[in-house]
């Protein structure tokens, strides 16, 4: 029997798959995985359906349909005052996770170090390791999970090739400030550090906080791959559609890898998205829409023994402490909560390479109000330990 030597020996099934399966098994309300349970726009469905009916069903151009790249460049140049060239600096991808992997694959060589701020989205470290790189993990500061800039500075070595940043942040909801961007600029200036900026939650910030895109800062953009997801913007996580924006020399290398990974991305969805993007309200309405959901969720959990360290500033996740309920490690607590109370969440330790456990769990509030109310009814049954 042939066997293979795993390139990811420490990796099993992701916590998102585990918790969603457990939620299904126990008919729990699933506030674990980050996906909305409400319908997507009928206009977007209509635009995509029309595209299929009109025969847009064959391979799209390798970098993506010109009309979609133009719509994206128009959008970001307006929002972030950038001057992105749709022909040379934008590529459409099958989702953001793919974009991150492709970007890392362009430039990482064995032994290169990549700084990862933890807790972190779970694909980053495996993506680095698959490319022979070494993840250098720097913890964010508990309890607000702001960036510990001294720690980042100390983590930089002559082998540092890249840093992955993510704002608004999954799972903590921290949103980078202009001060954070200034620090990143200072630390990377005169180095050959490449930034991967994961901005999939760009339109989900609260309390009037602006999203500090890399695209707003020309000196940072010059060393960056910036990653976006239509899944998070138009509630279409199952479509796996996204894009990468990078300066032309970086984008040339990105496209070299992309053309041999997937070659191109779903054609009718690109047509549908390019038409739907003309309606700017579809994304400009998102902060208010999700802020209402966050506020409803925060209001509902007031009647439960969960502890709130800080209301989330962005993304559609809220962290809650459970010290008053249980002394279990967070993973065991999340499993117990799913089985016994019927509400699924994600243990935050799953976002730390070493399983560091701050006794916090993550809830996704991108759900219909009825779902959040039903979940809260169950959570109210929890008692103090
Ligand atoms: C921080 C972050 N980046 C990337 C993604 C993945 O985006 P996509 O589904 O477009 O691959 C997610 C999804 O949860 C995420 O939270």
């Amino acid at each position: 029997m042939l066997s293979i030597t795993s390139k990811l020996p420490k990796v099993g099934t992701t916590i998102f798959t585990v918790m969603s399966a457990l939620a299904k098994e126990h008919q729990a309300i699933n506030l674990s995985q980050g996906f909305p349970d409400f319908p997507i726009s009928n206009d977007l469905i209509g635009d995509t359906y029309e595209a299929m009916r009109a025969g847009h069903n064959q391979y799209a151009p390798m970098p993506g349909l010109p009309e979609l790249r133009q719509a994206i460049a128009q959008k970001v140049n307006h929002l972030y005052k950038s001057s992105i060239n749709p022909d040379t600096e934008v590529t459409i991808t099958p989702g953001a996770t793919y974009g991150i992997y492709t970007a890392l694959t362009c430039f990482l060589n064995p032994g290169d170090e990549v700084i990862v701020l933890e807790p972190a989205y779970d694909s980053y470290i495996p993506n680095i390791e698959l490319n022979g790189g070494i993840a250098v993990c720097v913890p964010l500061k508990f309890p607000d999970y702001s960036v510990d800039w001294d720690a980042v500075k100390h983590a930089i070595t002559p082998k540092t090739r890249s840093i992955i940043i993510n704002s608004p942040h999954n799972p903590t909801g921290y949103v980078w400030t202009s001060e954070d961007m200034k620090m990143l600029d200072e630390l990377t200036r005169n180095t050959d550090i490449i930034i991967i900026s994961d901005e999939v939650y760009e339109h989900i910030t609260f309390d009037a906080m602006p999203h500090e895109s890399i695209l707003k800062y020309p000196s940072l953009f010059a060393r960056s791959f910036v990653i976006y997801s239509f899944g998070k913007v138009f509630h279409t996580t199952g479509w796996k559609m996204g894009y990468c924006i990078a300066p032309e020399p970086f984008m040339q290398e990105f496209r070299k890898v992309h053309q041999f990974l997937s070659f191109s991305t779903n054609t009718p969805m690109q047509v549908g998205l390019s038409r739907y993007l003309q309606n700017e309200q579809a994304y400009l309405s998102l902060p208010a829409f999700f802020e209402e959901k966050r506020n409803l969720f925060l209001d509902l959990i007031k009647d439960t023994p969960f502890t709130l360290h800080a209301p989330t500033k962005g993304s559609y996740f809220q962290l809650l402490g459970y010290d008053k309920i249980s002394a279990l490690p967070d993973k065991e607590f999340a499993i117990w909560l799913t089985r016994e109370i019927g509400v699924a969440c994600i243990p935050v330790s799953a976002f730390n390479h070493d399983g560091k456990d701050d006794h916090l769990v993550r809830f996704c509030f991108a759900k219909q109000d009825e779902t959040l109310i039903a979940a809260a009814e169950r959570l109210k049954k929890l008692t103090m330990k």
Side-chain angles (χ1 to χ4, degrees), residues 317-348:
F317 304 111
Q318 177 66 56
L319 298 189
L320 294 176
Y322 60 87
D323 275 342
K324 290 190 201 151
I325 305 164
S326 164
L328 285 173
D330 66 355
K331 193 166 175 206
E332 284 173 42
F333 175 75
I335 292 170
W336 175 84
L337 195 73
T338 309
R339 284 201 179 124
E340 302 301 324
I341 306 295
V343 180
C345 58
I346 297 283
V348 174

PDB file of all heavy atoms in Angstrom, residues 317-348:
ATOM      1  N   PHE A 317     -18.714  38.984  13.729  1.00  0.00           N
ATOM      2  CA  PHE A 317     -18.471  38.084  14.853  1.00  0.00           C
ATOM      3  C   PHE A 317     -18.410  38.849  16.170  1.00  0.00           C
ATOM      4  O   PHE A 317     -17.946  39.988  16.212  1.00  0.00           O
ATOM      5  CB  PHE A 317     -17.148  37.346  14.658  1.00  0.00           C
ATOM      6  CG  PHE A 317     -17.092  36.589  13.367  1.00  0.00           C
ATOM      7  CD1 PHE A 317     -16.243  36.993  12.351  1.00  0.00           C
ATOM      8  CD2 PHE A 317     -17.908  35.488  13.163  1.00  0.00           C
ATOM      9  CE1 PHE A 317     -16.198  36.303  11.145  1.00  0.00           C
ATOM     10  CE2 PHE A 317     -17.873  34.790  11.963  1.00  0.00           C
ATOM     11  CZ  PHE A 317     -17.014  35.207  10.955  1.00  0.00           C
ATOM     12  N   GLN A 318     -18.868  38.179  17.223  1.00  0.00           N
ATOM     13  CA  GLN A 318     -18.750  38.746  18.568  1.00  0.00           C
ATOM     14  C   GLN A 318     -18.121  37.687  19.463  1.00  0.00           C
ATOM     15  O   GLN A 318     -18.563  36.538  19.489  1.00  0.00           O
ATOM     16  CB  GLN A 318     -20.139  39.125  19.116  1.00  0.00           C
ATOM     17  CG  GLN A 318     -20.120  39.655  20.525  1.00  0.00           C
ATOM     18  CD  GLN A 318     -19.381  41.002  20.630  1.00  0.00           C
ATOM     19  OE1 GLN A 318     -19.722  41.955  19.955  1.00  0.00           O
ATOM     20  NE2 GLN A 318     -18.356  41.064  21.471  1.00  0.00           N
ATOM     21  N   LEU A 319     -17.074  38.093  20.196  1.00  0.00           N
ATOM     22  CA  LEU A 319     -16.475  37.191  21.187  1.00  0.00           C
ATOM     23  C   LEU A 319     -17.178  37.375  22.521  1.00  0.00           C
ATOM     24  O   LEU A 319     -17.504  38.503  22.907  1.00  0.00           O
ATOM     25  CB  LEU A 319     -14.991  37.504  21.391  1.00  0.00           C
ATOM     26  CG  LEU A 319     -14.053  37.358  20.202  1.00  0.00           C
ATOM     27  CD1 LEU A 319     -12.603  37.493  20.669  1.00  0.00           C
ATOM     28  CD2 LEU A 319     -14.247  36.022  19.501  1.00  0.00           C
ATOM     29  N   LEU A 320     -17.386  36.265  23.227  1.00  0.00           N
ATOM     30  CA  LEU A 320     -17.971  36.327  24.570  1.00  0.00           C
ATOM     31  C   LEU A 320     -17.186  35.421  25.510  1.00  0.00           C
ATOM     32  O   LEU A 320     -16.717  34.343  25.101  1.00  0.00           O
ATOM     33  CB  LEU A 320     -19.435  35.880  24.541  1.00  0.00           C
ATOM     34  CG  LEU A 320     -20.421  36.760  23.765  1.00  0.00           C
ATOM     35  CD1 LEU A 320     -21.811  36.124  23.757  1.00  0.00           C
ATOM     36  CD2 LEU A 320     -20.511  38.175  24.351  1.00  0.00           C
ATOM     37  N   GLY A 321     -17.063  35.862  26.773  1.00  0.00           N
ATOM     38  CA  GLY A 321     -16.407  35.044  27.793  1.00  0.00           C
ATOM     39  C   GLY A 321     -17.447  34.178  28.500  1.00  0.00           C
ATOM     40  O   GLY A 321     -18.602  34.573  28.637  1.00  0.00           O
ATOM     41  N   TYR A 322     -17.005  32.982  28.934  1.00  0.00           N
ATOM     42  CA  TYR A 322     -17.974  32.083  29.595  1.00  0.00           C
ATOM     43  C   TYR A 322     -17.501  31.665  30.984  1.00  0.00           C
ATOM     44  O   TYR A 322     -17.983  30.665  31.539  1.00  0.00           O
ATOM     45  CB  TYR A 322     -18.238  30.846  28.709  1.00  0.00           C
ATOM     46  CG  TYR A 322     -16.989  30.043  28.438  1.00  0.00           C
ATOM     47  CD1 TYR A 322     -16.572  29.044  29.308  1.00  0.00           C
ATOM     48  CD2 TYR A 322     -16.203  30.316  27.336  1.00  0.00           C
ATOM     49  CE1 TYR A 322     -15.407  28.334  29.080  1.00  0.00           C
ATOM     50  CE2 TYR A 322     -15.036  29.606  27.082  1.00  0.00           C
ATOM     51  CZ  TYR A 322     -14.648  28.620  27.971  1.00  0.00           C
ATOM     52  OH  TYR A 322     -13.484  27.925  27.739  1.00  0.00           O
ATOM     53  N   ASP A 323     -16.577  32.442  31.569  1.00  0.00           N
ATOM     54  CA  ASP A 323     -16.011  32.065  32.876  1.00  0.00           C
ATOM     55  C   ASP A 323     -17.061  31.891  33.962  1.00  0.00           C
ATOM     56  O   ASP A 323     -16.894  31.101  34.888  1.00  0.00           O
ATOM     57  CB  ASP A 323     -14.962  33.092  33.318  1.00  0.00           C
ATOM     58  CG  ASP A 323     -13.607  32.778  32.708  1.00  0.00           C
ATOM     59  OD1 ASP A 323     -13.428  31.627  32.257  1.00  0.00           O
ATOM     60  OD2 ASP A 323     -12.755  33.685  32.649  1.00  0.00           O
ATOM     61  N   LYS A 324     -18.165  32.657  33.850  1.00  0.00           N
ATOM     62  CA  LYS A 324     -19.198  32.540  34.891  1.00  0.00           C
ATOM     63  C   LYS A 324     -20.054  31.288  34.710  1.00  0.00           C
ATOM     64  O   LYS A 324     -20.851  30.936  35.574  1.00  0.00           O
ATOM     65  CB  LYS A 324     -20.111  33.771  34.839  1.00  0.00           C
ATOM     66  CG  LYS A 324     -19.449  35.050  35.303  1.00  0.00           C
ATOM     67  CD  LYS A 324     -20.510  36.121  35.428  1.00  0.00           C
ATOM     68  CE  LYS A 324     -19.893  37.495  35.370  1.00  0.00           C
ATOM     69  NZ  LYS A 324     -20.839  38.466  34.806  1.00  0.00           N
ATOM     70  N   ILE A 325     -19.899  30.644  33.520  1.00  0.00           N
ATOM     71  CA  ILE A 325     -20.754  29.489  33.229  1.00  0.00           C
ATOM     72  C   ILE A 325     -20.015  28.178  33.456  1.00  0.00           C
ATOM     73  O   ILE A 325     -20.568  27.203  33.967  1.00  0.00           O
ATOM     74  CB  ILE A 325     -21.247  29.543  31.759  1.00  0.00           C
ATOM     75  CG1 ILE A 325     -21.939  30.873  31.471  1.00  0.00           C
ATOM     76  CG2 ILE A 325     -22.169  28.370  31.435  1.00  0.00           C
ATOM     77  CD1 ILE A 325     -22.108  31.186  30.006  1.00  0.00           C
ATOM     78  N   SER A 326     -18.734  28.175  33.051  1.00  0.00           N
ATOM     79  CA  SER A 326     -18.025  26.893  33.033  1.00  0.00           C
ATOM     80  C   SER A 326     -16.518  27.106  33.131  1.00  0.00           C
ATOM     81  O   SER A 326     -16.005  28.155  32.725  1.00  0.00           O
ATOM     82  CB  SER A 326     -18.361  26.183  31.711  1.00  0.00           C
ATOM     83  OG  SER A 326     -17.459  25.152  31.459  1.00  0.00           O
ATOM     84  N   ALA A 327     -15.833  26.079  33.642  1.00  0.00           N
ATOM     85  CA  ALA A 327     -14.364  26.133  33.712  1.00  0.00           C
ATOM     86  C   ALA A 327     -13.743  25.273  32.613  1.00  0.00           C
ATOM     87  O   ALA A 327     -12.527  25.090  32.562  1.00  0.00           O
ATOM     88  CB  ALA A 327     -13.895  25.655  35.081  1.00  0.00           C
ATOM     89  N   LEU A 328     -14.583  24.742  31.716  1.00  0.00           N
ATOM     90  CA  LEU A 328     -14.066  23.866  30.652  1.00  0.00           C
ATOM     91  C   LEU A 328     -13.134  24.633  29.715  1.00  0.00           C
ATOM     92  O   LEU A 328     -13.297  25.847  29.537  1.00  0.00           O
ATOM     93  CB  LEU A 328     -15.239  23.336  29.809  1.00  0.00           C
ATOM     94  CG  LEU A 328     -16.119  22.242  30.399  1.00  0.00           C
ATOM     95  CD1 LEU A 328     -17.311  21.999  29.468  1.00  0.00           C
ATOM     96  CD2 LEU A 328     -15.323  20.952  30.598  1.00  0.00           C
ATOM     97  N   PRO A 329     -12.182  23.929  29.083  1.00  0.00           N
ATOM     98  CA  PRO A 329     -11.435  24.570  27.985  1.00  0.00           C
ATOM     99  C   PRO A 329     -12.424  24.989  26.891  1.00  0.00           C
ATOM    100  O   PRO A 329     -13.511  24.392  26.771  1.00  0.00           O
ATOM    101  CB  PRO A 329     -10.518  23.452  27.479  1.00  0.00           C
ATOM    102  CG  PRO A 329     -10.495  22.426  28.556  1.00  0.00           C
ATOM    103  CD  PRO A 329     -11.783  22.534  29.312  1.00  0.00           C
ATOM    104  N   ASP A 330     -12.071  26.002  26.075  1.00  0.00           N
ATOM    105  CA  ASP A 330     -13.074  26.574  25.165  1.00  0.00           C
ATOM    106  C   ASP A 330     -13.632  25.578  24.147  1.00  0.00           C
ATOM    107  O   ASP A 330     -14.808  25.626  23.807  1.00  0.00           O
ATOM    108  CB  ASP A 330     -12.558  27.869  24.509  1.00  0.00           C
ATOM    109  CG  ASP A 330     -11.380  27.679  23.558  1.00  0.00           C
ATOM    110  OD1 ASP A 330     -10.854  26.555  23.445  1.00  0.00           O
ATOM    111  OD2 ASP A 330     -10.980  28.689  22.935  1.00  0.00           O
ATOM    112  N   LYS A 331     -12.770  24.643  23.669  1.00  0.00           N
ATOM    113  CA  LYS A 331     -13.262  23.696  22.673  1.00  0.00           C
ATOM    114  C   LYS A 331     -14.329  22.789  23.299  1.00  0.00           C
ATOM    115  O   LYS A 331     -15.401  22.566  22.724  1.00  0.00           O
ATOM    116  CB  LYS A 331     -12.096  22.875  22.122  1.00  0.00           C
ATOM    117  CG  LYS A 331     -12.462  22.120  20.892  1.00  0.00           C
ATOM    118  CD  LYS A 331     -11.260  21.587  20.151  1.00  0.00           C
ATOM    119  CE  LYS A 331     -11.754  20.734  18.990  1.00  0.00           C
ATOM    120  NZ  LYS A 331     -10.799  19.730  18.595  1.00  0.00           N
ATOM    121  N   GLU A 332     -14.016  22.307  24.505  1.00  0.00           N
ATOM    122  CA  GLU A 332     -14.983  21.425  25.180  1.00  0.00           C
ATOM    123  C   GLU A 332     -16.258  22.189  25.521  1.00  0.00           C
ATOM    124  O   GLU A 332     -17.362  21.657  25.446  1.00  0.00           O
ATOM    125  CB  GLU A 332     -14.365  20.852  26.461  1.00  0.00           C
ATOM    126  CG  GLU A 332     -13.387  19.749  26.155  1.00  0.00           C
ATOM    127  CD  GLU A 332     -12.649  19.282  27.394  1.00  0.00           C
ATOM    128  OE1 GLU A 332     -13.282  19.135  28.452  1.00  0.00           O
ATOM    129  OE2 GLU A 332     -11.425  19.088  27.286  1.00  0.00           O
ATOM    130  N   PHE A 333     -16.090  23.471  25.897  1.00  0.00           N
ATOM    131  CA  PHE A 333     -17.272  24.271  26.207  1.00  0.00           C
ATOM    132  C   PHE A 333     -18.150  24.427  24.959  1.00  0.00           C
ATOM    133  O   PHE A 333     -19.378  24.288  25.036  1.00  0.00           O
ATOM    134  CB  PHE A 333     -16.869  25.655  26.745  1.00  0.00           C
ATOM    135  CG  PHE A 333     -18.051  26.548  26.974  1.00  0.00           C
ATOM    136  CD1 PHE A 333     -18.895  26.356  28.061  1.00  0.00           C
ATOM    137  CD2 PHE A 333     -18.351  27.577  26.082  1.00  0.00           C
ATOM    138  CE1 PHE A 333     -20.016  27.160  28.260  1.00  0.00           C
ATOM    139  CE2 PHE A 333     -19.464  28.387  26.267  1.00  0.00           C
ATOM    140  CZ  PHE A 333     -20.294  28.186  27.363  1.00  0.00           C
ATOM    141  N   ALA A 334     -17.523  24.704  23.800  1.00  0.00           N
ATOM    142  CA  ALA A 334     -18.304  24.903  22.565  1.00  0.00           C
ATOM    143  C   ALA A 334     -19.060  23.620  22.201  1.00  0.00           C
ATOM    144  O   ALA A 334     -20.228  23.671  21.784  1.00  0.00           O
ATOM    145  CB  ALA A 334     -17.374  25.317  21.430  1.00  0.00           C
ATOM    146  N   ILE A 335     -18.414  22.479  22.384  1.00  0.00           N
ATOM    147  CA  ILE A 335     -19.079  21.203  22.079  1.00  0.00           C
ATOM    148  C   ILE A 335     -20.235  20.979  23.057  1.00  0.00           C
ATOM    149  O   ILE A 335     -21.353  20.621  22.674  1.00  0.00           O
ATOM    150  CB  ILE A 335     -18.049  20.041  22.109  1.00  0.00           C
ATOM    151  CG1 ILE A 335     -17.073  20.197  20.933  1.00  0.00           C
ATOM    152  CG2 ILE A 335     -18.730  18.683  22.092  1.00  0.00           C
ATOM    153  CD1 ILE A 335     -15.873  19.278  20.958  1.00  0.00           C
ATOM    154  N   TRP A 336     -19.978  21.250  24.337  1.00  0.00           N
ATOM    155  CA  TRP A 336     -21.018  21.093  25.361  1.00  0.00           C
ATOM    156  C   TRP A 336     -22.221  22.003  25.059  1.00  0.00           C
ATOM    157  O   TRP A 336     -23.374  21.582  25.127  1.00  0.00           O
ATOM    158  CB  TRP A 336     -20.413  21.424  26.737  1.00  0.00           C
ATOM    159  CG  TRP A 336     -21.420  21.413  27.839  1.00  0.00           C
ATOM    160  CD1 TRP A 336     -21.854  20.335  28.539  1.00  0.00           C
ATOM    161  CD2 TRP A 336     -22.150  22.541  28.355  1.00  0.00           C
ATOM    162  NE1 TRP A 336     -22.815  20.704  29.454  1.00  0.00           N
ATOM    163  CE2 TRP A 336     -23.003  22.060  29.359  1.00  0.00           C
ATOM    164  CE3 TRP A 336     -22.156  23.908  28.052  1.00  0.00           C
ATOM    165  CZ2 TRP A 336     -23.866  22.900  30.073  1.00  0.00           C
ATOM    166  CZ3 TRP A 336     -23.007  24.741  28.756  1.00  0.00           C
ATOM    167  CH2 TRP A 336     -23.845  24.235  29.751  1.00  0.00           C
ATOM    168  N   LEU A 337     -21.932  23.249  24.700  1.00  0.00           N
ATOM    169  CA  LEU A 337     -23.003  24.216  24.431  1.00  0.00           C
ATOM    170  C   LEU A 337     -23.867  23.752  23.251  1.00  0.00           C
ATOM    171  O   LEU A 337     -25.092  23.880  23.270  1.00  0.00           O
ATOM    172  CB  LEU A 337     -22.388  25.590  24.118  1.00  0.00           C
ATOM    173  CG  LEU A 337     -23.345  26.774  24.167  1.00  0.00           C
ATOM    174  CD1 LEU A 337     -23.704  27.115  25.614  1.00  0.00           C
ATOM    175  CD2 LEU A 337     -22.731  28.007  23.490  1.00  0.00           C
ATOM    176  N   THR A 338     -23.209  23.186  22.248  1.00  0.00           N
ATOM    177  CA  THR A 338     -23.947  22.706  21.072  1.00  0.00           C
ATOM    178  C   THR A 338     -24.843  21.530  21.456  1.00  0.00           C
ATOM    179  O   THR A 338     -26.028  21.491  21.112  1.00  0.00           O
ATOM    180  CB  THR A 338     -22.942  22.257  19.970  1.00  0.00           C
ATOM    181  OG1 THR A 338     -22.008  23.314  19.778  1.00  0.00           O
ATOM    182  CG2 THR A 338     -23.642  21.938  18.677  1.00  0.00           C
ATOM    183  N   ARG A 339     -24.256  20.590  22.201  1.00  0.00           N
ATOM    184  CA  ARG A 339     -25.009  19.367  22.551  1.00  0.00           C
ATOM    185  C   ARG A 339     -26.112  19.634  23.558  1.00  0.00           C
ATOM    186  O   ARG A 339     -27.240  19.186  23.408  1.00  0.00           O
ATOM    187  CB  ARG A 339     -24.057  18.353  23.180  1.00  0.00           C
ATOM    188  CG  ARG A 339     -23.177  17.680  22.185  1.00  0.00           C
ATOM    189  CD  ARG A 339     -22.650  16.354  22.763  1.00  0.00           C
ATOM    190  NE  ARG A 339     -21.817  15.706  21.783  1.00  0.00           N
ATOM    191  CZ  ARG A 339     -20.554  15.343  21.994  1.00  0.00           C
ATOM    192  NH1 ARG A 339     -19.992  15.534  23.164  1.00  0.00           N
ATOM    193  NH2 ARG A 339     -19.860  14.771  21.039  1.00  0.00           N
ATOM    194  N   GLU A 340     -25.780  20.383  24.598  1.00  0.00           N
ATOM    195  CA  GLU A 340     -26.713  20.502  25.739  1.00  0.00           C
ATOM    196  C   GLU A 340     -27.671  21.677  25.619  1.00  0.00           C
ATOM    197  O   GLU A 340     -28.793  21.614  26.079  1.00  0.00           O
ATOM    198  CB  GLU A 340     -25.922  20.628  27.056  1.00  0.00           C
ATOM    199  CG  GLU A 340     -24.968  19.473  27.326  1.00  0.00           C
ATOM    200  CD  GLU A 340     -25.677  18.118  27.407  1.00  0.00           C
ATOM    201  OE1 GLU A 340     -26.818  18.081  27.919  1.00  0.00           O
ATOM    202  OE2 GLU A 340     -25.096  17.115  26.938  1.00  0.00           O
ATOM    203  N   ILE A 341     -27.203  22.776  25.028  1.00  0.00           N
ATOM    204  CA  ILE A 341     -28.043  23.987  24.972  1.00  0.00           C
ATOM    205  C   ILE A 341     -28.584  24.203  23.564  1.00  0.00           C
ATOM    206  O   ILE A 341     -29.588  24.878  23.360  1.00  0.00           O
ATOM    207  CB  ILE A 341     -27.235  25.233  25.456  1.00  0.00           C
ATOM    208  CG1 ILE A 341     -26.638  24.975  26.843  1.00  0.00           C
ATOM    209  CG2 ILE A 341     -28.063  26.501  25.444  1.00  0.00           C
ATOM    210  CD1 ILE A 341     -27.669  24.794  27.966  1.00  0.00           C
ATOM    211  N   GLY A 342     -27.922  23.623  22.577  1.00  0.00           N
ATOM    212  CA  GLY A 342     -28.445  23.713  21.212  1.00  0.00           C
ATOM    213  C   GLY A 342     -28.048  24.994  20.489  1.00  0.00           C
ATOM    214  O   GLY A 342     -28.780  25.466  19.616  1.00  0.00           O
ATOM    215  N   VAL A 343     -26.903  25.558  20.843  1.00  0.00           N
ATOM    216  CA  VAL A 343     -26.380  26.718  20.104  1.00  0.00           C
ATOM    217  C   VAL A 343     -24.904  26.441  19.807  1.00  0.00           C
ATOM    218  O   VAL A 343     -24.130  26.158  20.726  1.00  0.00           O
ATOM    219  CB  VAL A 343     -26.515  28.033  20.911  1.00  0.00           C
ATOM    220  CG1 VAL A 343     -25.950  29.208  20.102  1.00  0.00           C
ATOM    221  CG2 VAL A 343     -27.971  28.300  21.287  1.00  0.00           C
ATOM    222  N   ALA A 344     -24.549  26.532  18.518  1.00  0.00           N
ATOM    223  CA  ALA A 344     -23.152  26.246  18.135  1.00  0.00           C
ATOM    224  C   ALA A 344     -22.355  27.543  17.996  1.00  0.00           C
ATOM    225  O   ALA A 344     -22.861  28.540  17.474  1.00  0.00           O
ATOM    226  CB  ALA A 344     -23.121  25.468  16.823  1.00  0.00           C
ATOM    227  N   CYS A 345     -21.111  27.510  18.501  1.00  0.00           N
ATOM    228  CA  CYS A 345     -20.207  28.657  18.379  1.00  0.00           C
ATOM    229  C   CYS A 345     -18.815  28.096  18.060  1.00  0.00           C
ATOM    230  O   CYS A 345     -18.657  26.886  17.904  1.00  0.00           O
ATOM    231  CB  CYS A 345     -20.197  29.465  19.672  1.00  0.00           C
ATOM    232  SG  CYS A 345     -19.696  28.489  21.103  1.00  0.00           S
ATOM    233  N   ILE A 346     -17.822  28.965  17.975  1.00  0.00           N
ATOM    234  CA  ILE A 346     -16.457  28.513  17.656  1.00  0.00           C
ATOM    235  C   ILE A 346     -15.523  28.875  18.814  1.00  0.00           C
ATOM    236  O   ILE A 346     -15.506  30.034  19.254  1.00  0.00           O
ATOM    237  CB  ILE A 346     -15.948  29.194  16.356  1.00  0.00           C
ATOM    238  CG1 ILE A 346     -16.795  28.819  15.139  1.00  0.00           C
ATOM    239  CG2 ILE A 346     -14.478  28.868  16.106  1.00  0.00           C
ATOM    240  CD1 ILE A 346     -16.549  27.446  14.556  1.00  0.00           C
ATOM    241  N   PRO A 347     -14.732  27.905  19.290  1.00  0.00           N
ATOM    242  CA  PRO A 347     -13.756  28.228  20.340  1.00  0.00           C
ATOM    243  C   PRO A 347     -12.610  29.051  19.753  1.00  0.00           C
ATOM    244  O   PRO A 347     -12.082  28.710  18.692  1.00  0.00           O
ATOM    245  CB  PRO A 347     -13.251  26.850  20.787  1.00  0.00           C
ATOM    246  CG  PRO A 347     -13.507  25.942  19.628  1.00  0.00           C
ATOM    247  CD  PRO A 347     -14.691  26.485  18.884  1.00  0.00           C
ATOM    248  N   VAL A 348     -12.223  30.128  20.423  1.00  0.00           N
ATOM    249  CA  VAL A 348     -11.203  31.023  19.858  1.00  0.00           C
ATOM    250  C   VAL A 348      -9.827  30.356  19.805  1.00  0.00           C
ATOM    251  O   VAL A 348      -8.991  30.693  18.959  1.00  0.00           O
ATOM    252  CB  VAL A 348     -11.181  32.367  20.630  1.00  0.00           C
ATOM    253  CG1 VAL A 348     -10.047  33.255  20.156  1.00  0.00           C
ATOM    254  CG2 VAL A 348     -12.510  33.087  20.429  1.00  0.00           C
TER     255      VAL A 348
END
